[in-house]
Amino acid sequence: MKKASYQVKRKYTPGQFILTGIMLLLALTMLVPLLNIIANSFSDPKLSPYMSGLRVIPAGFSLLNYQITLSNTTIMPALWNSVKITVIGVALNILLTTTAAYVLTRPGLMFKKGIMVFLIIMMLFDPGTVPEYLTIKDIGLLGSQWSVILVTAVSVYYLIIMMRYFQAVPQEICESARIDGAGHMRLLFSIIIPLAKAGIATITMFYAVVRWNEYFRAGIYITKMSQTTLQVVLRQYVVNNDTATMVGDRNIRNYVNIVDFNALKNATIVIAMVPILLIYPFVLKYYTKDVLAGGVKG
Amino acid sequence: MSPSERISGADRLNHRKRIRIQLRRDWILYVILFPTLLYFFLFRVLPIFNMRLAFYTYKAKALWEWAGLKYFNQIFSTPQFKTILGNTLVISLMKYILLFPFFVLFAILLSEMRMQRCRKAVQIISYLPHFLGWVVIAGIWINILSFEGAFSELLSYFGAAKQNHMTNKGEIRWILMISEGWRSLGWDSIIYFTTIIGISPALYEAADIDGASRFQVIRYIVLPALLAPMSTMFILNLGYFMSAGFDQVLNFSNNAVQNNIDILDTYIYRIGIQKGQYSLASAVGLFKGVVGMILVLLTHVISKRLTGEGVW
């Protein structure tokens, strides 16, 4: 019966151990760098500069990096701006995406084909950085946070996914509601949205991740440092290595002799990562649920 | 009577009447849709209209001045442009073609794992980096590759001298490729993984009865099933070929390696946004867009011929 190993699916063969070992090692190369940054940011500033890059538990323990970062006069406003832009932005995303998806999934809608072709062209065609920049300038949004909020108000890609979720709502329910005298607004808000809740949750998460990670448009459209977002400030610290902003801050001057700038950067990275880590379990729950459960074949 | 004839006359009147009835009944649908269409007009159509700047000289307060192909000639005669185009193509080649088989391989290996818990753990961990922003990822990689970072430390066990790998000219493109893989390996292989787990069990049973080995199953059952998503992903990748992943390059760049990884989009950003040479940057952008589109269309047609699978 050795040939029937497919049906038996023996778990503990040498091959399986090697395979599992390789895959777990690969996963570790993804996990360890994250844990190292987190550990480093919570370490004692006297020990953190000498900490190994492979270490995943803090060397000593101190919240000093977070004390300094969270009382920094550029980080806190930037954090607040990021939260504000993300929340308002996602609300706008969802409002426009659900309403548009509702309209575009109505049976017998006129001009539907034309509108869809238009939207798909909009998705495939990227006019580029400069033409978009000049448009923002012409509309008069340059320098305002609304530029970032409005410029990514609808993603055609997510709109099409939303339409698929809406199409999964049984037609008969919609029809009987219409016969009972429900208007379009009522149909959308009391029937379709509650029934497509999981889909809306998924799309909300994806929009939120994109919004939170936005750094490029925020960097060029929002000109005032006090209006800018966390990712822009983080980029200045981490990528442009601008320790001057960190040192120039009155808070840091008090600590300049003991602070480890690298650990301070890592604390900022962790702060930028937290919302993603918070949302991630829901991504697993809603979006990759089937993928995670799958593979029980045969 | 042919169908086209039948539509004329009384029926056309009916058609118009139907439109009027639907508009009266469902006008609210168009009102609801209006803000979305307005958005696309303002933030998408107007920029497309602005692309004509490639053929004009920018004037802030007056009408733009026709310049013909002046800016295109200017670009193509810059020696720097050749380097930048070369960089773009090489980096894309590494990220979208050299890296491509690894996503398929990862999905196959994942599907071969029998220890469910370990497999789930690998999945959960490997999907995570996709959700991190490029600034955060750059921060993580600068940390890994720094003088005192994990990579230098691991290499030092094999006797290599410690160094900051981010500023190493010879390594930076490989770093771009590997970090791209690090970020997308899990997420971008989902499409292949779902295809594999969707393969009918009957096929495996048949292979089993025929006494096929594990590798034969992969070769004759799994890989053919993966052909369709592979060609779709490949063509979509070619759509990014002229972009080469701007966000990554911008954030992984530093003075030491800038010339080695300067790509079209970073060039557009530098001359367009930072130096204000709008026309020149628009010309580069238009060139990039047109070539990118031709690449996609071409591959789509070829793929359709060869495998019967395209993007649409």
Side-chain angles (χ1 to χ4, degrees):
Chain A
M1 280 304 287
K2 203 161 182 249
K3 284 248 170 92
S5 58
Y6 282 113
Q7 273 109 355
V8 178
K9 288 230 186 80
R10 282 184 308 167
K11 267 188 187 175
Y12 305 108
T13 60
Q16 276 297 318
F17 276 113
I18 294 169
L19 177 66
T20 309
I22 291 171
M23 295 300 269
L24 284 178
L25 208 64
L26 205 57
L28 277 185
T29 64
M30 295 168 184
L31 193 61
V32 170
L34 296 184
L35 294 179
N36 176 257
I37 281 191
I38 296 171
N40 189 262
S41 69
F42 280 106
S43 291
D44 190 326
K46 284 197 277 307
L47 301 170
S48 60
Y50 313 107
M51 202 176 121
S52 158
L54 297 167
R55 195 178 158 132
V56 295
I57 32 175
F61 183 81
S62 159
L63 288 174
L64 186 72
N65 290 320
Y66 288 93
Q67 249 174 44
I68 295 174
T69 309
L70 291 176
S71 58
N72 184 316
T73 47
T74 46
I75 297 270
M76 268 327 260
L79 185 58
W80 170 239
N81 289 333
S82 276
V83 171
K84 200 166 70 182
I85 289 175
T86 303
V87 170
I88 297 175
V90 171
L92 180 70
N93 287 144
I94 291 302
L95 181 71
L96 292 184
T97 308
T98 48
T99 50
Y102 174 76
V103 174
L104 293 172
T105 47
R106 285 317 87 209
L109 180 80
M110 278 188 306
F111 317 120
K112 182 181 164 175
K113 204 155 185 204
I115 294 170
M116 285 315 291
V117 169
F118 169 74
L119 291 178
I120 285 167
I121 292 172
M122 292 296 105
M123 175 167 75
L124 295 177
F125 206 77
D126 173 21
T129 314
V130 170
E132 189 185 285
Y133 177 82
L134 291 177
T135 307
I136 298 287
K137 207 170 159 183
D138 290 343
I139 297 176
L141 287 175
L142 202 64
S144 154
Q145 290 178 341
W146 285 104
S147 62
V148 182
I149 294 171
L150 292 174
V151 79
T152 49
V154 184
S155 146
V156 179
Y157 182 65
Y158 292 148
L159 172 60
I160 290 172
I161 298 178
M162 188 76 95
M163 283 172 65
R164 272 192 215 146
Y165 285 121
F166 281 10
Q167 268 153 356
V169 174
Q171 252 329 292
E172 299 79 44
I173 301 182
C174 300
E175 268 162 32
S176 61
R178 291 287 278 168
I179 289 163
D180 289 344
H184 283 297
M185 294 313 249
R186 199 176 157 114
L187 188 58
L188 172 62
F189 287 104
S190 328
I191 292 172
I192 306 248
I193 287 181
L195 283 174
K197 223 164 31 191
I200 293 172
T202 307
I203 302 291
T204 306
M205 285 175 324
F206 284 134
Y207 271 129
V209 169
V210 173
R211 289 274 185 198
W212 181 259
N213 287 335
E214 172 62 55
Y215 73 94
F216 183 67
R217 289 187 167 102
I220 60 176
Y221 296 154
I222 301 176
T223 37
K224 265 200 225 116
M225 201 59 191
S226 62
Q227 300 277 302
T228 206
T229 63
L230 183 64
Q231 300 283 343
V232 175
V233 176
L234 181 67
R235 188 174 136 70
Q236 202 159 352
Y237 285 3
V238 174
V239 180
N240 300 340
N241 211 1
D242 177 13
T243 43
T245 320
M246 292 197 269
V247 180
D249 199 81
R250 203 188 307 138
N251 262 314
I252 296 176
R253 203 166 281 164
N254 301 334
Y255 297 108
V256 78
N257 292 322
I258 41 167
V259 81
D260 168 15
F261 284 111
N262 200 42
L264 212 54
K265 273 186 219 171
N266 287 344
T268 320
I269 293 177
V270 173
I271 293 170
M273 238 166 25
V274 163
I276 302 291
L277 296 179
L278 288 179
I279 231 174
Y280 191 54
F282 295 96
V283 173
L284 295 175
K285 190 178 159 198
Y286 285 107
Y287 190 74
T288 55
K289 185 181 60 183
D290 300 331
V291 180
L292 289 176
V296 205
K297 58 185 179 213
Chain B
M1 219 171 26
S2 75
S4 58
E5 275 172 296
R6 241 189 297 155
I7 276 187
S8 55
D11 277 3
R12 188 184 284 167
L13 212 72
N14 266 339
H15 186 61
R16 232 179 251 164
K17 208 176 186 179
R18 266 215 309 278
I19 290 180
R20 210 172 306 142
I21 289 169
Q22 206 197 343
L23 276 182
R24 196 176 304 151
R25 198 188 55 188
D26 289 336
W27 58 272
I28 189 138
L29 288 179
Y30 299 93
V31 175
I32 294 173
L33 192 61
F34 179 72
T36 302
L37 293 181
L38 183 68
Y39 157 76
F40 281 108
F41 179 74
L42 283 179
F43 293 96
R44 284 301 164 110
V45 176
L46 287 185
I48 289 174
F49 195 53
N50 272 344
M51 288 177 85
R52 74 188 192 284
L53 186 55
F55 303 101
Y56 287 84
T57 301
Y58 181 76
K59 295 266 192 289
K61 294 257 153 35
L63 276 180
W64 298 347
E65 213 170 77
W66 176 256
L69 293 176
K70 182 183 152 196
Y71 293 104
F72 288 96
N73 290 331
Q74 205 173 324
I75 296 165
F76 294 130
S77 60
T78 326
Q80 211 186 352
F81 184 72
K82 231 178 246 167
T83 320
I84 290 166
L85 187 61
N87 283 344
T88 310
L89 295 179
V90 169
I91 291 171
S92 285
L93 191 83
M94 295 172 84
K95 289 209 298 202
Y96 301 128
I97 296 188
L98 230 53
L99 199 58
F100 188 72
F102 289 97
F103 298 109
V104 182
L105 184 68
F106 184 78
I108 293 175
L109 292 181
L110 199 61
S111 71
E112 289 294 325
M113 286 178 79
R114 294 277 165 267
M115 298 173 205
Q116 294 297 332
R117 260 174 217 207
C118 289
R119 177 160 105 183
K120 215 165 177 172
V122 171
Q123 284 181 297
I124 289 173
I125 294 167
S126 67
Y127 301 156
L128 177 62
H130 172 84
F131 291 89
L132 303 174
W134 274 114
V135 182
V136 168
I137 294 180
I140 292 168
W141 276 78
I142 289 169
N143 200 45
I144 298 175
L145 296 172
S146 67
F147 189 85
E148 292 292 339
F151 191 62
S152 274
E153 192 180 325
L154 279 176
L155 282 189
S156 73
Y157 295 143
F158 300 99
K162 286 192 174 182
Q163 58 160 313
N164 184 354
H165 294 272
M166 282 301 272
T167 54
N168 186 321
K169 285 190 174 64
E171 290 173 0
I172 187 70
R173 289 173 178 170
W174 292 105
I175 292 171
L176 291 182
M177 179 182 131
I178 293 167
S179 59
E180 174 67 46
W182 181 87
R183 174 181 185 259
S184 319
L185 195 60
W187 191 257
D188 286 9
S189 67
I190 286 185
I191 178 165
Y192 306 120
F193 184 70
T194 49
T195 307
I196 295 173
I197 60 182
I199 294 174
S200 159
L203 279 176
Y204 289 106
E205 275 155 31
D208 223 14
I209 291 162
D210 292 346
S213 74
R214 205 67 255 184
F215 289 103
Q216 281 171 321
V217 169
I218 291 173
R219 166 72 185 79
Y220 294 104
I221 295 178
V222 178
L223 280 180
L226 288 177
L227 204 61
M230 271 166 76
S231 56
T232 307
M233 292 311 285
F234 193 78
I235 298 167
L236 288 178
N237 275 352
L238 283 176
Y240 303 124
F241 221 78
M242 297 299 279
S243 304
F246 169 68
D247 292 310
Q248 180 193 29
V249 175
L250 188 68
N251 287 311
F252 275 61
S253 196
N254 54 58
N255 289 334
V257 296
Q258 205 207 25
N259 286 331
N260 299 69
I261 56 171
D262 203 10
I263 55 171
L264 289 172
D265 273 331
T266 50
Y267 183 62
I268 290 173
Y269 171 59
R270 213 170 45 245
I271 61 171
I273 305 297
Q274 293 183 327
K275 293 192 184 149
Q277 294 174 301
Y278 297 140
S279 301
L280 207 57
S282 300
V284 181
L286 192 62
F287 168 76
K288 190 196 116 188
V290 169
V291 175
M293 199 167 270
I294 291 172
L295 271 178
V296 173
L297 290 178
L298 212 66
T299 339
H300 170 73
V301 171
I302 294 173
S303 164
K304 200 105 183 175
R305 282 276 160 77
L306 290 181
T307 66
E309 298 288 341
V311 187
W312 56 88

